[in-house]
């Protein structure tokens, strides 16, 4: 493939597709396809071609790949991590190639990130004629897009449950995302960020002096991708709760807080549990110290590191006298059941807080 023919695509993860689009189009100079929003169809078609007992992020990725390939993508990406995710890229590609799809596959787990030669050779799969200079210029802007997305979403989480006019935060943020899709560069991003930060802050809220705060922790994909946890943050906001979440790309990639969080969790988890499990423990401790009334752990079914974190979280719950609710998601999870358990959880923390 020449660079004019490449149509690249990552599986969906929250709203970071807008950052990915920027670096691929401005840095690698190839077209980037934002796949359709994750839906029940995405999960259904992904589940049909996935092993039964694989975790749900694998199935969501497969569904995203199928939808993207059918829309013209021909260069697929897969990230890497400290769990079975490192093996998923090869399996993703094998299944899709066996189905007859033709595409290049860029598996980050196959890259030796300490070797410039390995990095360069793998990046050439995206565009053999790539410009290292242009990629270098695009990276800081991409990071700024990610930080802006996370900053805005944090603010919305803390305030959307108290908006006077229902849906105003959602409409304003979607409008901002639409502007990001064809972003020209740093100056336009700075201008848009300033405009929409003012718009978000101008949204009328009726927020009491004392609110019930809840912290959300869990595995990298399920805690960040709203469809995979049935839009749990929005459901909690409906009860008039302030929702807190630390797991995002700003913390994990840009600021690389994993080492810091392992130190925070060391009293409860002496060794590395794998993936984001130590972060889960550390974030639960921080949320408890920050005055959250409850903590919710979300994970995909069969996520071994997060399963290992569960009994440790019970120790955190006991020591800080804070309730912790565990959710495990797969393709068969009942949305009604999730909402019922969230309602019961809210009733409990409300009673504990004397409201």
């Amino acid at each position: 493939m020449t660079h004019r023919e490449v149509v690249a695509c990552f599986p969906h993860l929250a709203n970071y597709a807008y950052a990915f689009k920027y670096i691929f189009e401005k840095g690698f100079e190839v077209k980037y396809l934002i796949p359709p929003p994750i839906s029940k169809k995405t999960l259904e078609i992904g589940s049909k071609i996935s092993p039964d007992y694989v975790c749900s992020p694998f199935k969501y990725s497969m569904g995203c790949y199928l939808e993207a390939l059918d829309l013209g993508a021909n260069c697929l990406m897969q990230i890497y991590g400290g769990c079975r995710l490192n093996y998923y890229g090869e399996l993703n590609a094998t299944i899709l190639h066996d189905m007859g799809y033709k595409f290049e596959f860029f598996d980050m787990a196959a890259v030796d990130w300490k070797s410039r030669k390995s990095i360069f050779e793998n990046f050439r799969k995206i565009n053999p004629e790539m410009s290292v200079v242009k990629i270098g210029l695009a990276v800081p802007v991409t990071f700024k897009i990610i930080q802006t997305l996370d900053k805005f979403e944090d603010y919305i989480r803390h305030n959307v449950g108290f908006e006077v006019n229902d849906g105003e935060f959602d409409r304003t943020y979607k409008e901002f995302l639409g502007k990001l899709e064809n972003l020209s560069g740093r100056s336009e991003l700075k201008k848009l960020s300033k405009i929409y930060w003012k718009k978000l802050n101008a949204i009328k809220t009726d927020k009491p002096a004392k609110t019930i705060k809840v912290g959300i922790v869990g595995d990298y994909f399920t805690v960040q991708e709203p469809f995979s946890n049935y839009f749990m943050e929005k459901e909690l906001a409906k009860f008039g709760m302030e929702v807190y979440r630390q797991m995002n790309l700003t913390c994990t990639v840009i600021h690389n807080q994993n080492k810091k969080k392992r130190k925070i969790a060391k009293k409860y988890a002496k060794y590395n549990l794998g993936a984001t499990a130590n972060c889960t423990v550390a974030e639960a401790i921080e949320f408890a110290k920050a005055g959250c009334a409850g903590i919710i752990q979300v994970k995909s079914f069969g996520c071994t590191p997060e399963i290992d974190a569960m009994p440790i979280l019970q120790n955190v719950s006991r020591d800080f006298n804070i309730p912790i609710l565990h959710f495990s998601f797969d393709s068969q999870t009942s949305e009604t059941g999730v909402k019922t358990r969230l309602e019961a959880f809210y009733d409990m923390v409300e009673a504990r807080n004397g409201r």
Side-chain angles (χ1 to χ4, degrees), residues 221-293:
F221 181 88
T222 312
V223 80
Q224 292 189 82
E225 174 48 52
F227 189 91
S228 71
N229 60 50
Y230 295 137
F231 299 94
M232 182 177 288
E233 293 175 1
K234 288 187 177 181
E235 290 300 318
L236 291 167
K238 290 178 183 177
F239 297 123
M241 302 177 85
E242 267 192 76
V243 181
Y244 285 79
R245 167 163 66 81
Q246 293 183 8
M247 182 60 68
N248 57 40
L249 292 191
T250 297
C251 291
T252 57
V253 176
I254 297 175
H255 294 154
N256 192 18
Q257 293 184 356
N258 292 339
K259 288 183 180 179
K260 173 188 171 185
K261 290 186 177 180
R262 283 178 191 169
K263 288 182 180 179
I264 294 170
K266 196 169 184 180
K267 178 183 174 182
Y268 293 90
K270 185 177 179 181
Y271 302 103
N272 184 10
L273 300 172
T276 53
N278 291 72
C279 294
T280 290
V281 176
E283 289 163 12
I285 293 168
E286 290 186 305
F287 288 143
K289 288 181 177 179
C292 284

Side-chain angles (χ1 to χ4, degrees), residues 150-328:
D150 289 336
K151 175 186 175 182
F152 282 16
E153 290 182 15
D154 275 345
Y155 182 79
I156 292 169
R157 262 181 228 111
H158 301 165
N159 294 282
V160 68
F162 312 98
E163 62 183 357
V164 174
N165 302 310
D166 288 347
E168 194 168 358
F169 273 108
D170 196 39
R171 287 191 296 272
T172 303
Y173 191 53
K174 283 182 177 177
E175 186 180 301
F176 171 67
L177 294 177
K179 301 284 186 182
L180 284 184
E181 191 162 351
N182 295 300
L183 189 71
S184 61
R186 183 188 291 272
S187 60
E188 186 184 6
L189 175 62
K190 187 176 180 180
K191 181 180 177 182
L192 286 172
S193 299
K194 189 175 181 179
I195 291 170
Y196 280 91
W197 183 243
K198 284 184 178 179
K199 285 189 175 186
L200 288 173
N201 279 268
I203 293 174
K204 291 182 180 179
T205 58
D206 184 14
K207 193 173 183 179
K210 183 181 178 183
T211 60
I212 293 179
K213 300 179 178 66
V214 60
I216 298 183
V217 300
D219 80 70
Y220 203 73
F221 181 88
T222 312
V223 80
Q224 292 189 82
E225 174 48 52
F227 189 91
S228 71
N229 60 50
Y230 295 137
F231 299 94
M232 182 177 288
E233 293 175 1
K234 288 187 177 181
E235 290 300 318
L236 291 167
K238 290 178 183 177
F239 297 123
M241 302 177 85
E242 267 192 76
V243 181
Y244 285 79
R245 167 163 66 81
Q246 293 183 8
M247 182 60 68
N248 57 40
L249 292 191
T250 297
C251 291
T252 57
V253 176
I254 297 175
H255 294 154
N256 192 18
Q257 293 184 356
N258 292 339
K259 288 183 180 179
K260 173 188 171 185
K261 290 186 177 180
R262 283 178 191 169
K263 288 182 180 179
I264 294 170
K266 196 169 184 180
K267 178 183 174 182
Y268 293 90
K270 185 177 179 181
Y271 302 103
N272 184 10
L273 300 172
T276 53
N278 291 72
C279 294
T280 290
V281 176
E283 289 163 12
I285 293 168
E286 290 186 305
F287 288 143
K289 288 181 177 179
C292 284
I295 295 168
I296 296 175
Q297 181 200 26
V298 299
K299 66 180 188 65
S300 61
F301 174 78
C303 179
T304 307
E306 290 295 326
I307 291 171
D308 290 341
M310 289 173 69
I312 300 173
L313 289 176
Q314 290 307 309
N315 293 334
V316 175
S317 173
R318 179 200 63 217
D319 292 350
F320 290 93
N321 189 30
I322 185 171
I324 298 181
L325 181 64
H326 308 275
F327 281 93
S328 187

